[in-house]
């Protein structure tokens, strides 16, 4: 059967990886290289996936990835989803990846940091689908009152078409995403969900699903497990903080055991002060979940998992387009860090991003950096500007402790 062109290589790797358990094989990748007859440079002609049979089927847990977004992220959503997927998929296999876009509000957001460009937002969502970064896009516009009544009745036991809490936090779109996962044809009992906001910064260097699944398997009372934050390591699994209080559900980035969550439905709202016909809950729905987890004798846990971590960028780093661009650069630097030890030391132990400046680059280039510069008929002034730039980065901003330059020149004058 002919396969349509235009699909990225990771699209095939993703779907082959999802079949490993059912078909009992492991995947190895090889590249067939040829030489260009004019430039004499190597180029890849074919990517070959080798499917190597295994004697036994490995017991791999199932996990779905759900990314949550809103129209305020119209400038960054494409880059954010790219970063999340590219950070997780090299080491982790998801049964399906969902992007839940809550478009029920276009203004009046809680902690609003910018105006909304809906055309730019929908264009970015279309590009995400075109690049096959996610398997399914779920748009919740808040106009389907029948759907909202059903969600509120099932999850909160209320007869209401509300989609946000009294204080403005959305919850209906998240619950709709959970329901779509449970109705997915590949969903099986005990499958997990990794739910996260689209702006969070992920650094993952291991198969975090395999490690996380063992936590839920060992303790049937665990409902949620927070994705770790940067630390020096050695933080044991725990469900109580230093004051002896139960940990709260980490709404920004965490694993959920969906079956155990659904078994508690409808969630009982705690100290609701508003009429149920207008709003079902006063605050964010995670407060309701926290109350029900304790009510049912269950747990929300935290702890370290290999070298993986996440960070949450505060809205104060998103107030202008320039700040949002800086944030994207810093986010990529963090996601690509080889080890937690290479992260900015002041960030360890903190979930909120400390800075969106070049301070993050200080510890990334502690090793020797060799720069190759290719000049061809380059004016003296332009070459001098290039060299000065390296000098400033090595001395003034201290990006490079040890830096060397190898210069290749063809025809430039006065160098």
């Amino acid at each position: 059967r002919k396969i349509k062109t235009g699909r990225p290589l990771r699209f095939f790797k993703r779907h082959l990886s999802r079949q490993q358990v059912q078909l009992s094989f492991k995947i190895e990748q090889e590249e067939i290289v040829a030489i260009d007859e004019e430039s004499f440079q190597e180029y890849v002609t074919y990517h070959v996936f080798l499917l190597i049979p295994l004697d036994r089927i490995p017991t791999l847990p199932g996990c779905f990835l759900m990314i949550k977004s809103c129209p305020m992220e119209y400038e960054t959503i494409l880059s954010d989803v790219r970063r999340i997927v590219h950070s997780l998929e090299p080491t982790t296999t998801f049964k399906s990846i969902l992007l839940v876009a809550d478009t029920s509000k276009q203004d009046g957001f809680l902690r609003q940091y910018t105006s909304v460009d809906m055309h730019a937002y929908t264009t970015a969502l279309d590009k995400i689908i075109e690049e096959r970064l996610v398997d399914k896009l779920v748009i919740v516009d808040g106009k389907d009152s029948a759907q909202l009544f059903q969600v509120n009745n099932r999850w909160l036991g209320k007869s209401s078409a509300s989609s946000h809490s009294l204080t403005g936090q959305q919850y209906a779109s998240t619950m709709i995403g959970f329901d779509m996962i449970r109705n997915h044809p590949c969903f099986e009992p005990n499958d997990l969900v990794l739910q996260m906001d689209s702006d969070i910064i992920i650094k993952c260097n291991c198969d975090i699903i395999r490690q996380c699944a063992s936590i839920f398997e060992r303790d049937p009372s665990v409902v949620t497990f927070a994705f770790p934050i940067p630390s020096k390591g050695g933080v044991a699994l725990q469900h109580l903080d230093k004051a002896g209080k139960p940990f709260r559900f980490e709404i920004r980035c965490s694993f959920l055991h969906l079956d155990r969550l659904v078994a508690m439905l409808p969630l009982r709202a705690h100290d609701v002060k508003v009429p149920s016909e207008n709003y079902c809950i006063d605050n964010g729905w995670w407060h309701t979940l926290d109350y029900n987890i304790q009510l049912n004798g269950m747990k929300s846990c935290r702890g370290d998992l290999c070298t993986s971590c996440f960070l949450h960028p505060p809205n104060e780093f998103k107030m202008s387009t320039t700040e949002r661009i800086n944030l994207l650069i810093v986010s990529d630097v963090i996601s690509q860090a080889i080890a937690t030890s290479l992260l900015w030391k002041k960030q360890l132990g903190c979930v909120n991003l400390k800075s969106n400046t070049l301070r993050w680059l200080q510890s990334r280039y502690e090793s020797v950096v060799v720069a190759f510069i290719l000049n061809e008929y380059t004016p003296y002034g332009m070459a001098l500007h290039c060299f000065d730039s390296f000098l400033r980065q090595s001395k003034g901003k201290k990006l490079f402790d040890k830096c060397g330059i190898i210069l290749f020149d063809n025809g430039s004058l006065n160098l």
Side-chain angles (χ1 to χ4, degrees), residues 127 203 246 380 405 414:
K127 184 65 175 176
K203 188 187 77 64
Y380 171 78
I405 295 175
N414 300 323

Side-chain angles (χ1 to χ4, degrees), residues 165-374:
S165 69
L166 174 65
T167 50
Q169 295 95 341
Q170 69 80 23
Y171 65 86
S173 58
T174 299
M175 295 171 180
I176 289 171
F178 288 153
D179 282 338
M180 296 197 73
I181 290 175
R182 289 200 86 243
N183 293 326
H184 193 284
C186 292
F187 183 83
E188 294 177 320
N190 296 316
D191 275 352
L192 306 177
V193 177
L194 174 55
Q195 63 86 37
M196 63 179 64
D197 295 338
S198 62
D199 63 342
I200 65 101
I201 306 166
I202 283 281
K203 188 187 77 64
C204 185
N205 295 329
C206 66
D207 187 354
I208 194 169
I209 293 178
R210 184 187 294 272
Q211 296 195 26
C212 185
S214 64
I215 295 172
F216 289 93
E217 185 178 2
R218 290 196 306 266
D219 190 342
S221 67
V222 176
V223 179
T224 79
F225 179 81
F227 207 100
I229 65 173
S231 70
K232 296 180 180 179
V235 180
L237 180 68
Q238 49 195 333
H239 68 280
L240 300 175
D241 62 18
K242 294 180 180 179
K245 296 181 179 180
F247 279 124
R248 298 172 59 184
F249 167 52
E250 176 53 81
I251 185 66
R252 294 164 293 193
C253 185
S254 62
F255 288 92
L256 276 165
H257 193 293
L258 201 49
D259 283 345
R260 295 174 190 173
L261 170 59
V262 170
M264 297 188 294
L265 299 185
L267 299 177
R268 180 179 169 184
H270 181 52
D271 292 337
V272 177
K273 302 180 179 61
V274 294
S276 61
E277 63 268 16
N278 297 324
Y279 299 98
C280 293
I281 51 179
D282 288 344
N283 301 298
W285 80 277
W286 55 92
H287 295 290
T288 301
L289 179 56
D290 289 337
Y291 174 68
N292 282 263
I293 286 176
Q294 296 180 45
L295 195 66
N296 288 272
M298 307 298 274
K299 300 175 185 174
S300 287
C301 290
R302 303 191 180 192
D304 282 342
L305 285 180
C306 56
T307 57
S308 299
C309 64
F310 92 98
L311 289 169
H312 171 256
N315 284 0
E316 63 191 73
F317 295 152
K318 308 175 186 177
M319 303 307 292
S320 68
T321 298
T322 300
E323 287 178 308
R324 292 191 284 274
I325 292 174
N326 286 343
L327 182 58
L328 289 176
I329 296 172
V330 170
S331 300
D332 287 341
V333 169
I334 298 171
S335 296
Q336 295 167 14
I338 299 174
T340 307
S341 59
L342 294 180
L343 297 180
W344 190 30
K345 293 180 180 179
K346 290 185 179 180
Q347 186 65 61
L348 299 181
C350 300
V351 64
N352 285 326
L353 188 67
K354 287 283 189 179
S355 173
N356 67 337
T357 67
L358 293 177
R359 291 178 181 177
W360 272 100
L361 298 176
Q362 290 181 7
S363 59
R364 190 184 180 202
Y365 295 109
E366 291 177 351
S367 57
V368 175
V369 174
V370 179
F372 292 85
I373 300 178
L374 306 179

Side-chain angles (χ1 to χ4, degrees), residues 1-7 11-12 132:
R1 185 174 71 87
K2 283 190 175 181
I3 299 177
K4 294 181 181 179
T5 58
R7 294 175 177 173
F11 172 84
F12 301 101
R132 301 180 186 271

